[in-house]
Amino acid sequence: MKLLHIDSSVLGPHSVSRQVSAAAVERLRQANPGLVVTYRDLTQTPLGHLTGLHLAAGQGAAPDPSVRDDVAAGQLVLEEFLAADTVVIGAPMYNFTIPSQLKVWIDRILVAGKTFKYSPAGVEGLAGSKRVIIAISRGGYYGAGTPMAALEHLETYLRGVFGFIGVTNLEFIPADGIQVGPEHREKAVAGALQAAGSLNAA
């Protein structure tokens, strides 16, 4: 079994999403002693934003020298994702959506012919065999019926993205209200860590 662990928060040890994603990975590691874990910190090894040169290379053109290394890095990222049975992602909310570092990673794994394909019947996801666990942290409260619900573009976006490539075994571990006050943060973190530590083994 192979697990891919992705972190995207810029806050380092102060990050809630990093704490919770690490707890999720540790829970799965303990439950599956033979688990092989690959870790990628998107803030320490950032990928470049897509350009026309990247897209040309993706269509079969020889990579321009200015993007050759980044194209190779993007291919490695895709291979890591394809090889993983389980993916654990730490995803904080930044300005109502995902960090740009995570968006760049997503741009490298949503590849026609690899994780989805077009057919006469429409789009078909090709990553349906994977389990994806996402630790999300939000400064406020964005649930249905709350005043800020219309600005929730973190969980909703990630549900759409992974649903598009066929993932049905998708789990979210939320930590909400972490900027509301110390008590709210403590409660949110404790609840998320408990949920991470109680994940099903498989």
Side-chain angles (χ1 to χ4, degrees):
M1 293 287 288
K2 294 183 178 180
L3 184 149
L4 175 61
H5 180 191
I6 300 290
D7 272 327
S8 61
S9 170
V10 301
L11 297 180
H14 305 291
S15 164
V16 171
S17 65
R18 285 176 181 268
Q19 291 180 53
V20 179
S21 74
V25 172
E26 183 58 26
R27 158 62 182 159
L28 297 177
R29 195 195 300 268
Q30 290 179 358
N32 302 280
L35 191 66
V36 177
V37 177
T38 298
Y39 179 64
R40 180 171 289 272
D41 185 334
L42 298 177
T43 68
Q44 296 298 314
T45 54
L47 297 160
H49 288 278
L50 291 183
T51 67
L53 295 174
H54 288 86
L55 297 180
Q59 295 298 317
D64 185 90
S66 65
V67 298
R68 185 176 294 129
D69 289 347
D70 196 60
V71 168
Q75 182 61 37
L76 177 59
V77 161
L78 175 61
E79 291 170 0
E80 288 173 348
F81 179 76
L82 293 175
D85 302 293
T86 300
V87 181
V88 175
I89 301 172
M93 176 184 273
Y94 290 171
N95 295 320
F96 312 116
T97 188
I98 63 173
S100 61
Q101 292 87 349
L102 184 56
K103 176 59 167 65
V104 171
W105 180 82
I106 287 171
D107 285 340
R108 304 308 177 90
I109 68 163
L110 263 64
V111 179
K114 297 293 185 177
T115 54
F116 71 93
K117 67 178 181 180
Y118 296 107
S119 72
V123 176
E124 179 183 346
L126 303 177
S129 62
K130 298 184 186 302
R131 179 186 188 187
V132 177
I133 301 163
I134 306 179
I136 59 175
S137 58
R138 293 176 284 215
Y141 297 98
Y142 295 85
T146 65
M148 300 292 281
L151 292 174
E152 205 298 312
H153 305 297
L154 172 68
E155 180 177 345
T156 50
Y157 174 74
L158 292 171
R159 283 189 182 279
V161 163
F162 286 103
F164 180 81
I165 61 174
V167 174
T168 57
N169 192 357
L170 181 62
E171 302 163 65
F172 284 87
I173 305 175
D176 290 325
I178 61 173
Q179 295 297 332
V180 174
E183 291 184 3
H184 292 267
R185 180 186 180 92
E186 183 178 351
K187 181 179 179 180
V189 172
L193 291 175
Q194 181 178 12
S198 302
L199 286 169
N200 291 330

